[in-house]
Amino acid sequence: MYGWIWRHLPGPLVVKIIEALVLVAIVISLLLFVVFPWVAPLLPWNSVDVPTDVNTVE
């Protein structure tokens, strides 16, 4: 798959490297700003129980 993407990027090597870095930045941005916030409420570790009385030893 990565080879297919690399072969289809236009331009010489330097331009391909820049284009590949831009594509990686786009994928990371989509994950951070769209996918992870959408999935976060569905994950089980959102509800954390913290004791309110810190002086109690269990």
Side-chain angles (χ1 to χ4, degrees):
M1 179 174 133
Y2 299 115
W4 182 87
I5 294 171
W6 184 258
R7 285 190 304 270
H8 285 83
L9 290 174
L13 180 63
V14 176
V15 175
K16 283 186 176 188
I17 291 172
I18 293 170
E19 291 171 342
L21 291 174
V22 168
L23 285 174
V24 168
I26 289 171
V27 169
I28 290 172
S29 297
L30 281 173
L31 285 172
L32 286 175
F33 297 114
V34 177
V35 176
F36 294 155
W38 174 72
V39 172
L42 305 174
L43 297 176
W45 53 78
N46 278 341
S47 54
V48 178
D49 295 329
V50 178
T52 56
D53 187 9
V54 294
N55 295 327
T56 307
V57 178
E58 294 183 22

